[in-house]
Amino acid sequence: MSLVELIAQADERGLAASGLACLDRCVPLLGGDDEVLRPLWGTLAEGGDGGWAERLEQARGALDASGPEGPAQDGAALLARRMLAAAPAGRTAGEVRKWADACSVASLRIHRLLDPAEDAAAVDGLPEALDAV
């Protein structure tokens, strides 16, 4: 089964983990440390205490994601900020599916910006998903 097929079958918790994993890889671009998303990850643990929306706002505050997107932002950091800003406060499958899909594309684009590959056609073919981020 391909990764795309696995993601298509994921529930809201798996989808939230997928989007959060993409965002987690981009935290250094946002000026954060390795621990800034840990409380948000904790909401996904089995038997976790919930609180996704509250912990998401804390992460946004810690990473200053709500600040203005100034001209000093480079492309990769801008995509990472948009990824964090687009994270849904609700954790329903519909909300997180769109976000997780867009995060996957955005993180691939970020990797391409930071380490360009000769053949990036697979990433270039999905620019519409970035509009959601």
Side-chain angles (χ1 to χ4, degrees):
M1 187 173 291
S2 75
L3 181 58
V4 172
E5 291 169 327
L6 288 171
I7 291 173
Q9 295 178 4
D11 63 4
E12 69 275 354
R13 187 170 145 225
L15 291 165
S18 174
L20 190 53
C22 292
L23 181 60
D24 206 0
R25 285 185 222 105
C26 299
V27 165
L29 294 170
L30 301 174
D33 63 23
D34 292 341
E35 301 296 316
V36 72
L37 295 180
R38 186 176 294 269
L40 201 51
W41 277 110
T43 67
L44 301 180
E46 283 219 34
D49 64 351
W52 169 268
E54 296 83 18
R55 296 213 171 84
L56 176 60
E57 282 308 310
Q58 290 170 355
R60 284 180 175 148
L63 296 169
D64 196 25
S66 354
E69 296 173 350
Q73 290 286 340
D74 68 11
L78 180 60
L79 282 171
R81 287 206 180 284
R82 288 172 63 196
M83 196 184 317
L84 178 58
R91 237 183 60 198
T92 65
E95 291 174 301
V96 293
R97 180 171 304 283
K98 182 178 176 183
W99 177 63
D101 288 345
C103 285
S104 294
V105 174
S107 63
L108 287 172
R109 176 77 73 167
I110 288 168
H111 286 283
R112 181 173 174 229
L113 287 169
L114 297 176
D115 187 19
E118 286 185 33
D119 183 20
V123 176
D124 287 338
L126 299 170
E128 66 279 355
L130 291 175
D131 293 336
V133 175

